[in-house]
Amino acid sequence: MSAALEITGFLLGLGGWLLTGVTVPNNYWKISTVQGNVITTSRVYENLWKSCAQDSTGISSCKTFDSLLSLPAHVQACRALMIIALALGLLAMALSLFGLQCTKVGSSDENTKGKIALAGGLVFIFGGLSSLVAISWYAGMITKQFYDPLYGGIKYELGDALYLGWAGSLLLILGGSFLTCSCKRKKKTQKGRYEYDYTTTQTAPSNTKERKQFDNEGPSRAYV
């Protein structure tokens, strides 16, 4: 059962890491539809790295964010969190491969493999939480600006990349939970503890009685 949990957790973590990796370069983190003239821009969309504009003919033009310090604080933080999530996911997959019972890589001790799988599961969870915080923070800022009547800039809506990021984060956390639950602890026997055999105490009185009877009967037989 633990081996099945390990494999399931590893596959879920792998799928979550792939979805997170697809989310980072995705262009549609937030989308805005601007209603105006036919020739003017019809849609604007952005991600963590660039901003793009698409006109009514379907032609897009993108501009990367040149200055890091000029970006809003939440964009800078989301960049860092997503990169950390990808790095932690990669580390967790490496640890999980060494800790799986079905693999012969690394140590052959079952207890050691369980600890390595536990470490991989925890790293998966940390990576999923990092990605979840970044996606939720970015989505919260979009929602806040959309419903703010005093906001004078372009109002955006949630893009498809955010939903992919949420799915990837949940898979990372779920896979890490499966890996941590698959770890079993072996019961350790206490040193200096001995088991007492109660059968010897039960048979001992009968043996002593027989010996007493033999000793009592011995002299009487000698006189006869």
Side-chain angles (χ1 to χ4, degrees):
M1 185 66 182
S2 60
L5 280 177
E6 286 180 352
I7 296 173
T8 305
F10 177 77
L11 293 178
L12 288 175
L14 177 61
W17 183 78
L18 291 176
L19 281 179
T20 305
V22 172
T23 302
V24 173
N26 195 299
N27 292 329
Y28 301 101
W29 279 61
K30 58 181 181 179
I31 306 173
S32 174
T33 303
V34 180
Q35 301 294 337
N37 297 327
V38 179
I39 305 177
T40 59
T41 301
S42 62
R43 187 171 64 171
V44 179
Y45 52 93
E46 291 185 5
N47 63 0
L48 298 176
W49 316 99
K50 58 185 177 180
S51 176
C52 299
Q54 184 179 17
D55 57 17
S56 57
T57 60
I59 300 175
S60 300
S61 60
C62 298
K63 180 182 178 182
T64 58
F65 301 134
D66 298 329
S67 178
L68 177 63
L69 298 178
S70 63
L71 292 175
H74 73 280
V75 176
Q76 299 180 26
C78 290
R79 278 186 179 185
L81 289 173
M82 293 302 292
I83 293 173
I84 291 173
L86 290 176
L88 290 178
L90 188 61
L91 177 61
M93 286 190 296
L95 289 173
S96 301
L97 280 176
F98 283 100
L100 291 178
Q101 296 181 5
C102 59
T103 60
K104 296 182 180 179
V105 182
S107 177
S108 59
D109 186 16
E110 184 178 353
N111 192 18
T112 304
K113 277 185 170 291
K115 292 180 180 179
I116 296 174
L118 175 62
L122 292 176
V123 176
F124 264 133
I125 293 175
F126 291 148
L129 290 176
S130 178
S131 175
L132 183 63
V133 169
I135 298 295
S136 301
W137 190 357
Y138 196 90
M141 292 300 296
I142 295 173
T143 307
K144 180 181 178 181
Q145 293 174 0
F146 186 83
Y147 289 106
D148 187 5
L150 301 178
Y151 182 72
I154 300 175
K155 293 186 177 182
Y156 293 89
E157 296 180 359
L158 303 180
D160 299 336
L162 298 180
Y163 298 102
L164 290 176
W166 275 319
S169 302
L170 293 179
L171 287 179
L172 284 172
I173 296 174
L174 189 60
S177 301
F178 276 31
L179 283 171
T180 52
C181 292
S182 65
C183 180
K184 291 184 178 180
R185 293 183 178 179
K186 291 185 176 181
K187 296 182 179 180
K188 296 182 178 180
T189 57
Q190 298 179 358
K191 293 183 179 180
R193 184 178 178 180
Y194 301 96
E195 294 184 356
Y196 189 75
D197 191 3
Y198 292 96
T199 58
T200 58
T201 58
Q202 294 176 359
T203 57
S206 60
N207 294 334
T208 53
K209 289 181 180 180
E210 291 179 358
R211 290 181 180 177
K212 288 181 179 180
Q213 291 179 1
F214 180 76
D215 294 339
N216 293 332
E217 292 177 357
S220 61
R221 290 179 182 177
Y223 288 107
V224 174

